[in-house]
Amino acid sequence: MKAIRTIGFTGTIASGKTSRCKHLVEVAERRQRHRCPPPAERGVGAVAPSTSEGKAVPSPTTSAALSSSSSSSTTSSPAVAVHYINADLVGHHIYEPGKPCYHALLQHFGTSILSAGDATAHTATTTTAAAAGAAAGAAAAAPPLIDRRVLGEIVFAEERKLQELNAICWPFITAGIKEEYARVCARYRGTAPLLTGASARKPVVATTAVTAAAAAAAAPPGGPAVVLIIVEAALLCEMTEVLDLTTDLWMTHCTPATAVDRVMVRNHLSREAAQQRVASQLDVEQKLRKLRHLAYKGGVEVFDTTQVKLAEGLRETEAAFDRYWREKIAVHL
């Protein structure tokens, strides 16, 4: 193995981040399976350079060229291994009953954040436990779940509460992402991550131990030359410890007015509620300014999705990855 490249994928609210990132993972995995070179390398068509805003301009033949790669021969040991880490899924995991974050949220926000019916059950269980013993009370009812919708309504209505939520959850989410990242690195012995920022000066340490023997056992003989890790996180620019793991940053954004319209439709919210939600997050200029303040040394790709249809946006993502493959992955193969 020669390198680990890490793309951090982030974006402003309702800017199409998830759709584009999902497509990026699919395109990368397709390239992984078939070792398919970019269209320009096969003489199919060239990828146009970025615009002044950093938005990739797709070649009309990009989608067809990538689709035709299914006829390419595969190998038992791909040159590139692709791994995807989703911060939102990590967030779902830490909200599960019994987890430290779950208890911290209940203690701070109260039982009103539990799913309908669960708050009553939780109170009844507590009363029963006090009367008949903790063990009997715990066995009497299933653990109540946190209702993320209710919690969202609480925190997006008041900036202070959103900050309190972030202060509770971010350390757990950061630890979960770093643990998964370290686990991936441990699978490929002899591979050193290309790091930026603070992580270039200190090693990545998992929150749970990964022994050298386990790493060696997990690493397949004749493994990939490059490991590509894609980390999707809406608040990546604010989560500096996770940002430090990345070698490149891809960011989607749209105008606040467009975001409000999209949030109203997507989340079935009133205009006022949608405006509150959009205003609660950093806009693209604030995110880029934060990157400059942190002296981020990785490559940055920015996509303005304000007037871009989904199909066009996915083609932009493919075109950007074609360029990324040539410039930052193929050089190691």
Side-chain angles (χ1 to χ4, degrees), residues 10-255:
T10 189
T12 61
I13 187 170
S15 62
K17 167 186 64 66
T18 298
S19 297
R20 285 175 180 257
C21 187
K22 180 180 178 181
H23 192 62
L24 170 64
V25 174
E26 291 172 350
V27 171
E29 289 178 341
R30 189 187 312 157
R31 189 73 57 78
Q32 170 195 23
R33 289 193 300 270
H34 303 296
R35 303 182 70 174
C36 171
E41 293 182 12
R42 299 200 307 275
V44 178
V47 177
S50 300
T51 65
S52 59
E53 292 83 10
K55 183 171 66 174
V57 180
S59 162
T61 58
T62 299
S63 296
L66 284 171
S67 297
S68 67
S69 69
S70 59
S71 61
S72 302
S73 61
T74 60
T75 63
S76 58
S77 178
V80 179
V82 179
H83 294 269
Y84 172 56
I85 302 174
N86 187 315
D88 196 46
L89 294 180
V90 174
H92 279 280
H93 181 67
I94 66 172
Y95 277 27
E96 292 176 356
K99 299 294 177 64
C101 185
Y102 171 89
H103 293 299
L105 290 173
L106 276 185
Q107 182 176 9
H108 188 81
F109 291 101
T111 58
S112 63
I113 65 173
L114 295 176
S115 298
D118 283 346
T120 302
H122 182 69
T123 303
T125 298
T126 303
T127 303
T128 302
L145 302 175
I146 289 177
D147 189 325
R148 291 166 61 93
R149 181 188 60 81
V150 172
L151 182 57
E153 291 175 352
I154 293 173
V155 300
F156 285 118
E158 187 176 344
E159 184 177 356
R160 176 180 59 84
K161 292 183 178 179
L162 179 60
Q163 293 173 349
E164 292 169 353
L165 174 69
N166 290 338
I168 293 171
C169 294
W170 281 7
F172 293 104
I173 295 176
T174 295
I177 293 174
K178 291 177 68 176
E179 179 178 351
E180 179 63 19
Y181 184 89
R183 187 181 299 116
V184 171
C185 292
R187 289 183 57 187
Y188 302 99
R189 55 187 174 184
T191 304
L194 299 173
L195 300 176
T196 62
S199 291
R201 300 185 294 275
K202 62 184 180 181
V204 177
V205 180
T207 54
T208 57
V210 179
T211 66
V226 180
V227 177
L228 174 62
I229 303 175
I230 299 171
V231 180
E232 180 185 355
L235 303 179
L236 182 59
C237 293
E238 294 91 322
M239 303 173 69
T240 54
E241 289 187 53
V242 177
L243 182 65
D244 283 340
L245 301 178
T246 67
T247 56
D248 301 273
L249 184 73
W250 290 22
M251 182 188 304
T252 59
H253 74 96
C254 62
T255 64

